[in-house]
Amino acid sequence: MRFLTVLGARPQFIKAAPLTSVLRRHHEEVLVHTGQHYDYGMSEVFFAELGIPAPDHHLGVGSGSHGAQTGAMLERLEGVMLEAQPDVVLVYGDTNSTLAGALTAAKLQIPVAHVEAGLRSFNRTMAEEVNRVITDHLSTWLFAPSAHAERQLRAEGIETGVHVVGDIMYDALRLHAERARQISKYPETVGLRPGDYYLCTVHRAENTDAPERLEAILCGLSRLDKHVVLPMHPRTRKRLAERGLAPGVNVRVCEPVGYLDMLQLVSASAAVLTDSGGLQKEAYYLEVPCVTLREETEWVETVQVGWNTLAGTDPDAMVAAIARFRVDRPPHPPLYGSGDTAGRIARVFESGSSTDALQ
Ligand code: UD1
Ligand code: UDP
């Protein structure tokens, strides 16, 4: 089969790495980078570290408003898809690059495969929620990470093409955690010892673009009992500069780090505070408690088992959640498969099926 994979943002490079290498054993893949993320530390570093082949097409779309960015992707993807004539367009997650890939393919009547299908926050003010709902409803193959995600798709009337395959990010973590342990120099690079710090990331539009929420997060971090390492997303850096805000003295800000350094920073931290989707799961896989700086999460299982707490941006809730984790270490069941998601997805395609559930 010939796949055309659309990538554009940091988490998508990490998700694509395991599946790209498995698919290329027996299939052809055309890799397209929309250019949504373009700084070295937001894009190229992941291709280098994870051995992702160089993109066949780089669309150079860059940053912009949702309409301008997504529109530019649609226009440029159309020509690439017409030329490549793929059997399947493969998209990951919930970014504007995901939506543009799925929509362009659907308009050209090329079947779409969505990795990370069925996740919902039920918050339509999030651009990502809109992207996921539309992508799922345009997809022929829906690769869901959990039975919960599958049920959600059924509740929306999507009965066929759904395959519960686990979380592709768990594949990536299992493939690279040992190498990260061996070669990463973090947290020592930022002058801290394992266990002596909390790790934080913040980048969601709803947190960075609302000054009162960003200030509340900074306030909460400054009240924690340890140092905080904060690899800062460029969006957050920009907003802090615009508003003249600065994190407290216990916060060590650094540039975004590569995947291996990030795995090491998570596994050596006392806890993670984040609004990232990917980090909530990585914290869980590495048995590190997580405080999610949002009112809801798509990864509900991590909350149900007690390893993740939704604190929103309330400083008191952040402090209380960290205090609770100091005494409470709940059981740690597997939630999203066993790290063989790439193989499961490949087998679905190779069975010629869009409808059989692989449990
Ligand atoms: C995007 C995704 C979000 C995902 C996140 C992963 C959408 C709507 N949002 O959010 O779902 O969780 O990626 O990190 O698709 N910027 C740079 N350099 C870069 C990239 C971005 O400076 O390489 C700055 C620009 O000022 C840009 C801003 O960050 O305007 C936001 O970038 P954008 O890709 O629009 O959204 P993210 O917040 O990164
Ligand atoms: N990540 C990274 N370096 C960083 C911040 C995040 O390698 O400085 C990784 C993180 O480990 C996870 C992914 O990027 O694998 C998550 O991406 P992000 O938080 O940008 O997006 P989300 O998952 O929220 O869509």
Short mmCIF file of all heavy atoms in Angstrom, two decimals, residues 3 21 51 60 76 84-85 103 126 167 171 177 181 187 198 213 227 243 279-280 311 336:
data_model
loop_
_atom_site.label_atom_id
_atom_site.label_comp_id
_atom_site.label_asym_id
_atom_site.label_seq_id
_atom_site.Cartn_x
_atom_site.Cartn_y
_atom_site.Cartn_z
N PHE A 3 1.10 4.87 1.60
CA PHE A 3 0.57 5.77 2.63
C PHE A 3 1.09 7.18 2.37
O PHE A 3 2.24 7.34 1.97
CB PHE A 3 1.04 5.33 4.02
CG PHE A 3 0.43 4.03 4.46
CD1 PHE A 3 1.02 2.82 4.13
CD2 PHE A 3 -0.74 4.02 5.19
CE1 PHE A 3 0.45 1.62 4.53
CE2 PHE A 3 -1.32 2.83 5.60
CZ PHE A 3 -0.73 1.62 5.26
N SER A 21 8.44 3.40 10.96
CA SER A 21 9.46 2.37 10.75
C SER A 21 8.80 1.01 10.50
O SER A 21 9.29 0.22 9.70
CB SER A 21 10.48 2.33 11.89
OG SER A 21 9.91 1.72 13.00
N GLY A 51 15.10 8.98 14.43
CA GLY A 51 15.38 8.32 13.15
C GLY A 51 14.21 8.36 12.19
O GLY A 51 14.01 7.43 11.40
N GLY A 60 6.00 24.27 4.49
CA GLY A 60 6.42 25.59 4.98
C GLY A 60 5.28 26.51 5.37
O GLY A 60 5.37 27.73 5.19
N ARG A 76 -2.03 23.54 -0.05
CA ARG A 76 -0.76 22.91 -0.44
C ARG A 76 -0.84 21.39 -0.41
O ARG A 76 -0.20 20.71 -1.21
CB ARG A 76 0.37 23.42 0.46
CG ARG A 76 0.59 24.92 0.23
CD ARG A 76 1.60 25.54 1.14
NE ARG A 76 1.32 26.97 1.28
CZ ARG A 76 2.08 27.84 1.90
NH1 ARG A 76 3.22 27.44 2.46
NH2 ARG A 76 1.74 29.10 1.97
N ALA A 84 0.79 12.35 -5.43
CA ALA A 84 1.25 11.08 -4.82
C ALA A 84 0.25 9.94 -5.00
O ALA A 84 0.63 8.78 -4.97
CB ALA A 84 1.51 11.30 -3.33
N GLN A 85 -1.01 10.26 -5.17
CA GLN A 85 -2.06 9.23 -5.36
C GLN A 85 -1.96 8.11 -4.31
O GLN A 85 -1.84 6.92 -4.65
CB GLN A 85 -1.94 8.61 -6.76
CG GLN A 85 -2.25 9.59 -7.88
CD GLN A 85 -3.75 9.89 -8.00
OE1 GLN A 85 -4.58 9.00 -7.94
NE2 GLN A 85 -4.09 11.15 -8.14
N LEU A 103 -9.17 16.49 5.97
CA LEU A 103 -10.16 17.18 5.12
C LEU A 103 -9.72 17.17 3.66
O LEU A 103 -10.54 16.93 2.76
CB LEU A 103 -10.35 18.61 5.65
CG LEU A 103 -11.50 19.42 5.10
CD1 LEU A 103 -12.82 18.66 5.17
CD2 LEU A 103 -11.62 20.74 5.87
N MET A 126 -12.07 24.37 22.60
CA MET A 126 -10.69 23.96 22.26
C MET A 126 -10.61 23.66 20.76
O MET A 126 -11.38 22.83 20.25
CB MET A 126 -10.34 22.62 22.94
CG MET A 126 -10.03 22.66 24.39
SD MET A 126 -9.69 20.94 24.93
CE MET A 126 -8.02 20.69 24.32
N ASP A 167 -1.89 2.88 22.82
CA ASP A 167 -1.34 4.23 22.61
C ASP A 167 0.00 4.16 21.89
O ASP A 167 0.96 3.60 22.41
CB ASP A 167 -1.18 4.91 23.98
CG ASP A 167 -0.53 6.27 23.87
OD1 ASP A 167 -0.57 6.88 22.78
OD2 ASP A 167 0.04 6.73 24.89
N ASP A 171 4.54 3.04 22.58
CA ASP A 171 5.57 2.39 21.74
C ASP A 171 6.84 3.25 21.75
O ASP A 171 7.94 2.75 21.95
CB ASP A 171 5.12 2.29 20.28
CG ASP A 171 4.01 1.30 20.03
OD1 ASP A 171 3.15 1.14 20.89
OD2 ASP A 171 4.00 0.68 18.93
N ALA A 177 13.16 4.82 26.15
CA ALA A 177 13.39 5.19 27.56
C ALA A 177 14.79 4.77 28.03
O ALA A 177 15.47 5.53 28.74
CB ALA A 177 12.32 4.57 28.45
N ARG A 181 17.85 7.18 29.35
CA ARG A 181 18.53 7.02 30.64
C ARG A 181 20.04 7.06 30.46
O ARG A 181 20.78 7.62 31.25
CB ARG A 181 18.14 5.68 31.27
CG ARG A 181 17.44 5.80 32.62
CD ARG A 181 17.22 4.48 33.31
NE ARG A 181 16.65 3.43 32.51
CZ ARG A 181 15.34 3.30 32.25
NH1 ARG A 181 14.48 4.16 32.74
NH2 ARG A 181 14.90 2.31 31.51
N PRO A 187 18.52 15.67 34.86
CA PRO A 187 18.30 17.08 35.20
C PRO A 187 19.58 17.83 35.60
O PRO A 187 19.53 19.03 35.88
CB PRO A 187 17.35 16.99 36.39
CG PRO A 187 17.74 15.72 37.08
CD PRO A 187 18.15 14.77 35.99
N TYR A 198 10.06 19.36 40.39
CA TYR A 198 8.85 19.05 39.63
C TYR A 198 9.09 19.51 38.19
O TYR A 198 9.79 20.50 37.95
CB TYR A 198 7.63 19.77 40.21
CG TYR A 198 7.38 19.44 41.66
CD1 TYR A 198 7.43 20.44 42.64
CD2 TYR A 198 7.10 18.14 42.06
CE1 TYR A 198 7.20 20.14 43.98
CE2 TYR A 198 6.87 17.83 43.39
CZ TYR A 198 6.93 18.83 44.34
OH TYR A 198 6.71 18.53 45.66
N ARG A 213 -5.24 33.10 33.81
CA ARG A 213 -4.92 31.67 33.99
C ARG A 213 -3.40 31.48 34.02
O ARG A 213 -2.88 30.72 34.83
CB ARG A 213 -5.55 30.84 32.88
CG ARG A 213 -7.07 30.75 33.00
CD ARG A 213 -7.70 29.89 31.90
NE ARG A 213 -7.35 28.49 32.01
CZ ARG A 213 -8.05 27.58 32.70
NH1 ARG A 213 -9.13 27.95 33.35
NH2 ARG A 213 -7.66 26.32 32.75
N HIS A 227 12.13 22.97 43.49
CA HIS A 227 12.36 23.65 42.22
C HIS A 227 11.41 23.09 41.16
O HIS A 227 10.95 21.94 41.26
CB HIS A 227 13.80 23.44 41.75
CG HIS A 227 14.76 24.32 42.47
ND1 HIS A 227 15.59 23.86 43.47
CD2 HIS A 227 15.02 25.64 42.34
CE1 HIS A 227 16.32 24.86 43.92
NE2 HIS A 227 15.99 25.95 43.26
N ARG A 243 3.24 40.21 28.23
CA ARG A 243 2.56 40.70 29.44
C ARG A 243 3.52 41.07 30.55
O ARG A 243 3.11 41.39 31.65
CB ARG A 243 1.59 39.64 29.96
CG ARG A 243 0.54 39.39 28.95
CD ARG A 243 -0.58 38.58 29.44
NE ARG A 243 -1.37 38.24 28.28
CZ ARG A 243 -1.45 37.05 27.73
NH1 ARG A 243 -0.81 36.04 28.27
NH2 ARG A 243 -2.16 36.86 26.65
N LEU A 279 2.25 14.41 27.80
CA LEU A 279 2.97 14.29 29.09
C LEU A 279 2.14 13.60 30.17
O LEU A 279 2.70 12.92 31.03
CB LEU A 279 3.36 15.69 29.57
CG LEU A 279 4.73 16.26 29.25
CD1 LEU A 279 5.34 16.88 30.48
CD2 LEU A 279 5.67 15.30 28.62
N GLN A 280 0.83 13.77 30.14
CA GLN A 280 -0.01 13.08 31.14
C GLN A 280 0.22 11.57 31.07
O GLN A 280 0.31 10.88 32.07
CB GLN A 280 -1.48 13.37 30.90
CG GLN A 280 -1.88 14.80 31.19
CD GLN A 280 -3.32 15.03 30.78
OE1 GLN A 280 -4.24 14.40 31.29
NE2 GLN A 280 -3.53 15.96 29.87
N ALA A 311 -6.35 19.92 38.26
CA ALA A 311 -6.29 21.05 39.20
C ALA A 311 -6.73 22.34 38.55
O ALA A 311 -6.79 23.38 39.22
CB ALA A 311 -4.87 21.20 39.74
N TYR A 336 -3.25 1.64 28.37
CA TYR A 336 -3.35 1.89 26.92
C TYR A 336 -2.50 0.90 26.13
O TYR A 336 -1.70 1.29 25.30
CB TYR A 336 -2.92 3.33 26.61
CG TYR A 336 -3.69 4.38 27.39
CD1 TYR A 336 -3.06 5.17 28.35
CD2 TYR A 336 -5.06 4.58 27.16
CE1 TYR A 336 -3.77 6.13 29.07
CE2 TYR A 336 -5.77 5.54 27.86
CZ TYR A 336 -5.12 6.31 28.82
OH TYR A 336 -5.82 7.26 29.52
#
